[in-house]
Amino acid sequence: MRSIWNGAISFGLVSIPIKLVNATENHAIHFRQIHLADGGRIRYRKVCELDEEEVSGGEIGKAYEDADGTMIPITDEDLAQLPLPTAKTIEIVAFVPADQIDPLQMDAAYYLSANGVPAAKPYTLLREALKRSNKVAVAKYALRGRERLGMLRVVDDVIAMHGLLWPDEIRAPEGVAPEGDVTVRDAELDLADALMDTLGEVDMDSLHDDYREAVEELIAAKASGEEVRPAESGEGGGGKVIDLIAALESSVRAAKKSRGEEDAAADGEGDGGADEGDMAEVHPIRKTSSGASGKSSAKTSGSAAKTAKKTTHRTPTGKTVTRSGGSAAKKSAPKSTGTKKSTSTAKKSSGSGGRGGSGASGGRSAAKKTTAKKSASSGGTAKKTASSRKRASA
């Protein structure tokens, strides 16, 4: 790489000859101004205001314009005679932790290359000292006609220098922050944290200038005579009042989708059935007044009795068996006194069933009485009641 400045690093009494090399480059696409009528290029010419003649670069010098408009000529010889110790020297003035440097001060970046074999040893010494101290060096240097501030740090095995703005060149952010008190809720902060976690980290080397690539494609298409189609423009969000929570939630979903990290819960939506191990929703029973509960109990008992009558059918042996309805029997409390009574009634009906033809009718009446008693007391399980009735029929 071509050096743009030659000098030395002043490290106490140690002098390190170095060459200054640009560490960055500008890939921006530059355009020329043309005359729209004929495509001719528009040029800027340097013309003297007094004689209105074009002036070449060799005839142009420097001057300072005073407040009253007077021009005060300043020559390169005048500047060279100034007592500027940093004219050809990068003078280190201090070593500080890197976090003491405000990123707002960061300017252009340069690599410092050892200039010649004798510079290799002191160059390596300064580099290793910077590595071991975990600090950066603050230095002054002169470049392009002015003294500047710089920061030296180690990048791989090279000493790099970042040009810094002087502290008084950083403007205070007055009137920039939002006016008035703005309250941010914890839910909004939680969603912002979730979005930050979803976006995660990025490999800085993978970032590139999409706009420059689009401009290059546009130039190539026009140069080859291809038709250029306008790109679809997205909806602009400037000036719109938005639902911040909804916007954050949508951003999190979009970030997860772009990274292929959609939640498993989202994949299961709309299946129409619960997976194995899913919990059913439990709704608490609403408490009602005593009058209302009495009416509902009476209605329940009546419906249970009707259900029991409707479910009576004959067995293949010609005997009648009555089975209680599904929902009423399931809701009855287990092991109540009604069960014992129905059992004893079934035994009595069993004894009467052995007398001539009255066994079947006795079984039917016993079953009906058992069902009515079971409904009134709300006791007995469906299985136990059914088995006792089968014994009664037998």
Side-chain angles (χ1 to χ4, degrees):
M1 291 183 284
R2 186 175 64 88
S3 63
I4 60 173
W5 184 88
N6 291 340
I9 299 175
S10 176
F11 178 36
L13 296 178
V14 178
S15 181
I16 310 171
I18 55 96
K19 295 185 292 185
L20 196 68
V21 178
N22 277 323
T24 62
E25 55 187 1
N26 189 352
H27 289 167
I29 298 174
H30 300 281
F31 299 102
R32 302 292 188 184
Q33 291 186 332
I34 61 171
H35 186 198
L36 292 177
D38 54 17
R41 181 177 169 184
I42 304 299
R43 295 180 180 271
Y44 290 98
R45 295 180 179 178
K46 298 177 180 179
V47 177
C48 177
E49 292 182 352
L50 297 178
D51 56 18
E52 296 184 353
E53 292 184 0
E54 188 176 350
V55 180
S56 63
E59 300 175 286
I60 299 174
K62 302 184 187 72
Y64 176 79
E65 184 176 3
D66 205 355
D68 58 359
T70 304
M71 295 294 179
I72 304 173
I74 302 293
T75 64
D76 291 339
E77 289 76 13
D78 294 334
L79 296 174
Q81 293 174 4
L82 293 177
L84 184 63
T86 57
K88 285 291 183 180
T89 304
I90 299 174
E91 182 182 0
I92 295 177
V93 296
F95 292 89
V96 299
D99 57 7
Q100 289 190 13
I101 305 297
D102 191 341
L104 286 173
Q105 291 183 253
M106 294 290 187
D107 201 1
Y110 308 94
Y111 291 134
L112 304 182
S113 172
N115 192 2
V117 176
K121 181 66 180 263
Y123 183 96
T124 305
L125 172 65
L126 176 60
R127 183 190 67 195
E128 296 304 316
L130 286 171
K131 281 184 179 180
R132 191 165 69 172
S133 67
N134 291 323
K135 294 182 178 181
V136 297
V138 178
K140 291 182 178 181
Y141 66 102
L143 182 65
R144 299 188 179 100
R146 56 169 294 194
E147 188 174 53
R148 303 169 187 264
L149 191 64
M151 177 190 75
L152 276 62
R153 70 184 184 97
V154 178
V155 177
D156 294 334
D157 288 332
V158 175
I159 299 175
M161 181 174 69
H162 296 268
L164 301 178
L165 300 176
W166 296 97
D168 59 0
E169 293 179 317
I170 305 298
R171 301 173 62 185
E174 296 177 357
V176 180
E179 297 181 359
D181 295 332
V182 180
T183 302
V184 179
R185 294 178 293 172
D186 290 340
E188 295 167 339
L189 283 174
D190 292 341
L191 282 171
D193 291 340
L195 178 57
M196 292 168 64
D197 293 339
T198 304
L199 292 175
E201 299 179 356
V202 66
D203 182 7
M204 297 298 292
D205 293 334
S206 66
L207 301 178
H208 58 279
D209 189 348
D210 293 325
Y211 180 76
R212 178 173 60 86
E213 293 179 357
V215 173
E216 290 174 348
E217 292 176 2
L218 171 65
I219 294 172
K222 284 208 163 192
S224 60
E226 296 179 6
E227 181 182 358
V228 179
R229 297 181 180 178
E232 296 181 0
S233 58
E235 295 182 0
K240 290 185 179 180
V241 179
I242 61 173
D243 184 348
L244 189 56
I245 291 289
L248 287 169
E249 289 175 345
S250 299
S251 301
V252 171
R253 287 194 298 268
K256 287 183 177 179
K257 185 176 181 180
S258 65
R259 293 172 178 262
E261 299 174 359
E262 291 181 328
D263 291 339
D267 295 337
E269 290 180 358
D271 291 341
D275 294 335
E276 186 177 354
D278 288 349
M279 296 292 291
E281 293 186 2
V282 179
H283 299 281
I285 300 175
R286 295 181 179 178
K287 294 183 179 180
T288 58
S289 60
S290 58
S293 61
K295 291 180 181 179
S296 61
S297 300
K299 290 181 180 179
T300 305
S301 301
S303 61
K306 291 179 182 178
T307 305
K309 291 179 181 179
K310 290 181 180 178
T311 55
T312 303
H313 65 281
R314 291 183 177 274
T315 62
T317 58
K319 296 182 180 180
T320 305
V321 177
T322 305
R323 294 182 181 177
S324 59
S327 61
K330 289 181 180 178
K331 291 183 180 178
S332 59
K335 295 184 179 180
S336 65
T337 56
T339 307
K340 295 180 180 179
K341 291 182 179 180
S342 60
T343 305
S344 60
T345 306
K347 289 180 179 179
K348 291 180 181 180
S349 61
S350 175
S352 60
R355 298 174 185 175
S358 62
S361 61
R364 285 196 297 271
S365 61
K368 290 181 180 180
K369 289 180 181 180
T370 303
T371 304
K373 288 181 180 181
K374 180 181 68 66
S375 302
S377 60
S378 300
T381 59
K383 292 182 179 180
K384 291 183 179 181
T385 305
S387 60
S388 62
R389 288 170 188 163
K390 286 182 180 180
R391 286 196 215 118
S393 301

